[in-house]
Amino acid sequence: MTASELRRKYITFFESKGHARIQGKSLLPDNDPTVLFTTAGMHPLVPYLLGQEHPAGQRLVNSQKCIRTGDIESVGDPSHLTFFEMLGNWSLGDYFKEGAIEMSFEFLTDPRWLGIPVEKLGVTVFSGELGIPRDDESAAIWRRLGIPENRIAYLPRADNWWGPAGSAGPCGPDTEMFYYTGDAPCGPECKPGCACGKWLEIWNNVFMQYNKNSAGEYEPLARKCVDTGMGVERVVAILNGKASVYETEFFAGLLKAVEAASGHVYGTDEDRDSSARILCEHARASTFILGDPRAVSPSNVGAGYVLRRLLRRALRHASKLGIDGSGGPVLSPLARLLAEETRDDWPELGENIERIAEELDREEKKFLETLQKGEREFEKLLPGLMKNPRRVMSGRLAFKLYDTYGFPVELTEELARENGLSVDSAEFDEAFRKHQETSRAGVGVFKGGLVDSGDAALRYHTATHLLHQALRQVLGTHVAQKGSNITAERMRFDFAHPAPMTETEIASVQAIVNEQIARDLPVSHQSMSLDAAKESGAIALFGEKYEDVVKVYSIGEGESLFAREVCGGPHAPSTGALGKFTIQKEQSSSAGVRRIRAVLE
């Protein structure tokens, strides 16, 4: 079964169960700084899990592109990826545990759908923790459906609890479905979730019962919801009898291209095979990030830093395979191949391939110089490091490689591991923190946001609409939002514009926004078809995919209407609640994209 066939079957099945298909969203989340990327299908739906009504109804189904880097060191094994596609079905206050589990079981085992033998399946459920009871209800449902007790494992919070996506938000216990890939158990206690690697997780049903607030407390949600996720790459692997996701359609062409470029015959040396897999996976993930409508460029901050880390790790493993760039670019040919192979499922890659290739070639050229310098410096340090009885490289030395030569600490750690050493990460973090205090350059995930900052986030979110419209009035209607980042203390807004703004333009935009705040305009919303929204003059983000029915937020009404945008919300009730708007900085974000930082006082 191909990925396209699996996706079609999944959508068709849940549509037959009364679910409305909705569009997957960007890999770069909008207005939520608690995460850098969309890490799961639930992330774009957080407002609806918290109680907002979704225009498409209470039962939803979708496919979502995701990025997760928490397991980056495991990439290259049979199942771990940083980029993957997640199929999900959703209940917003409709069915709960019984309905979700019964539908999952039917889709997995019924011959009309996937037809997986029941004896190949096992499940895990939440064992209870911190005053939250064991999920005996889910276990009983699985037993009734035919999963025997010896294939039901009760696991703690670390294994069977989901969320929130950031520091706060909806969360709850989950039940996970596993496919048995082995021939015999590793021992009498071998159950789903066992570390032996014979059980492969393929689906997860999350029962959203709680909201974690900014104080870290768990409050019962007003309505219970279900959030599920099925990993496309893993399921395609098992349905086709493959032992690894790298043996599937997703990587076959990429691995052949790497074979041709390196001369290495895949399957003849595990270390080189692992480097080939890491190169292909990171090239694939980076291509999808750069091909996203809200694409970021490689940088030393936030999502751009994650992208840079993936690209540089890919290039280092290309170097280990003997692909040093002397024969031409390494990554952009892989991106072009991927765009061609996925043109039917992910046309945005082909539409943006020239920009993707340009970004890849630029970063590759820059890093090859960095890589050579950094590795030379590490080699100089190595004899002294090997004499250290603790086999530990100081964090100060690791930071010197980073600060002086631009050599990422992750690559220093990899080089250290390859030589039987470790890096004093705490000392590196302290040196990095002092450097950040000196340079006043923030790196990493900002705290706060729509999920957990309450009124402050709503005010800033509303202000982004005022700013967007003011920019269009002053600079022209070519201006289009390219992303935003909000905390309880400030906002960041990226927009398409070819040149720096003048002081006069900045002052005009600021004055227009403050004028609308002073008018205390009401903020309202309506659900309507996308075509009707566009006919009404509502702005929709360029390149974004929308459902047939969308929410349209208006600021002002009648003759006082100032702005109208397609948006998921939520917002402040009126502009008078926002406070004084001040633009602190206007600067370049990437080619053709400007960035404004502003505050409300």
Side-chain angles (χ1 to χ4, degrees), residues 357-400:
E358 182 181 339
E359 291 270 21
L360 291 174
D361 290 347
R362 184 186 303 116
E363 184 69 10
E364 184 172 325
K365 181 180 179 182
K366 183 185 301 182
F367 182 58
L368 287 176
E369 298 171 359
T370 299
L371 184 66
Q372 292 167 358
K373 290 178 183 176
E375 288 189 327
R376 281 199 300 268
E377 292 303 315
F378 184 88
E379 291 297 327
K380 291 177 185 178
L381 296 171
L382 189 57
L385 294 172
M386 298 300 286
K387 296 176 183 177
N388 183 338
R390 294 176 55 230
R391 313 282 286 181
V392 177
M393 180 181 186
S394 77
R396 290 180 294 101
L397 283 177
F399 182 75
K400 180 182 177 182

Side-chain angles (χ1 to χ4, degrees), residues 189-234:
E189 300 302 316
C190 186
K191 286 187 175 183
C194 181
C196 69
K198 295 183 177 182
W199 291 96
L200 179 66
E201 181 191 346
I202 56 175
W203 204 349
N204 186 3
N205 284 358
V206 180
F207 305 121
M208 295 292 187
Q209 299 173 247
Y210 303 93
N211 178 55
K212 182 182 179 183
N213 61 28
S214 56
E217 302 165 334
Y218 292 89
E219 308 163 327
L221 285 170
R223 63 177 183 178
K224 297 177 180 179
C225 299
V226 173
D227 148 31
T228 84
M230 170 182 277
V232 171
E233 290 84 353
R234 290 185 178 187

Side-chain angles (χ1 to χ4, degrees), residues 65-321:
K65 297 178 292 183
C66 302
I67 290 282
R68 290 184 198 167
T69 56
D71 293 325
I72 193 170
E73 301 301 335
S74 298
V75 167
D77 73 4
S79 61
H80 283 92
L81 302 168
T82 58
F83 170 85
F84 55 92
E85 181 186 354
M86 191 72 81
L87 297 172
N89 57 283
W90 313 83
S91 168
L92 305 178
D94 191 344
Y95 58 83
F96 200 48
K97 293 181 180 180
E98 185 172 36
I101 291 173
E102 286 179 346
M103 282 187 274
S104 296
F105 184 80
E106 181 182 352
F107 183 71
L108 287 171
T109 62
D110 193 307
R112 294 174 299 169
W113 304 107
L114 299 191
I116 296 174
V118 177
E119 56 269 21
K120 297 291 286 184
L121 296 176
V123 300
T124 61
V125 297
F126 182 53
S127 63
E129 201 170 328
L130 297 178
I132 299 172
R134 189 171 87 162
D135 191 3
D136 290 321
E137 180 184 356
S138 292
I141 297 169
W142 284 119
R143 281 194 297 270
R144 174 172 59 79
L145 292 171
I147 304 295
E149 187 66 35
N150 65 354
R151 283 191 268 125
I152 300 176
Y154 299 85
L155 299 181
R157 183 187 190 87
D159 300 287
N160 276 80
W161 182 275
W162 181 259
S167 58
C171 53
D174 64 34
T175 182
E176 300 176 1
M177 287 145 271
F178 290 76
Y179 182 87
Y180 187 65
T181 62
D183 297 322
C186 67
E189 300 302 316
C190 186
K191 286 187 175 183
C194 181
C196 69
K198 295 183 177 182
W199 291 96
L200 179 66
E201 181 191 346
I202 56 175
W203 204 349
N204 186 3
N205 284 358
V206 180
F207 305 121
M208 295 292 187
Q209 299 173 247
Y210 303 93
N211 178 55
K212 182 182 179 183
N213 61 28
S214 56
E217 302 165 334
Y218 292 89
E219 308 163 327
L221 285 170
R223 63 177 183 178
K224 297 177 180 179
C225 299
V226 173
D227 148 31
T228 84
M230 170 182 277
V232 171
E233 290 84 353
R234 290 185 178 187
V235 175
V236 167
I238 66 168
L239 292 176
N240 289 284
K242 304 297 184 181
S244 165
V245 294
Y246 294 95
E247 297 176 16
T248 63
E249 63 184 89
F250 304 103
F251 293 97
L254 294 175
L255 284 170
K256 283 187 180 297
V258 169
E259 276 189 328
S262 66
H264 165 62
V265 179
Y266 188 76
T268 59
D269 181 280
E270 178 52 31
D271 285 342
R272 290 169 67 80
D273 287 352
S274 178
S275 286
R277 293 191 293 266
I278 292 170
L279 168 57
C280 291
E281 199 285 332
H282 288 359
R284 179 175 180 250
S286 300
T287 300
F288 273 97
I289 293 172
L290 288 167
D292 194 87
R294 295 181 189 156
V296 295
S297 295
S299 72
N300 289 328
V301 179
Y305 179 71
V306 173
L307 173 59
R308 173 162 284 170
R309 181 185 178 191
L310 290 171
L311 291 173
R312 294 188 166 189
R313 195 163 186 257
L315 289 168
R316 181 160 185 274
H317 281 278
S319 178
K320 292 176 71 172
L321 287 165

Side-chain angles (χ1 to χ4, degrees), residues 41-60:
M42 64 86 68
H43 193 192
L45 290 170
V46 165
Y48 308 105
L49 294 169
L50 288 173
Q52 282 193 55
E53 297 300 321
H54 196 286
Q58 291 181 284
R59 294 189 177 202
L60 311 172

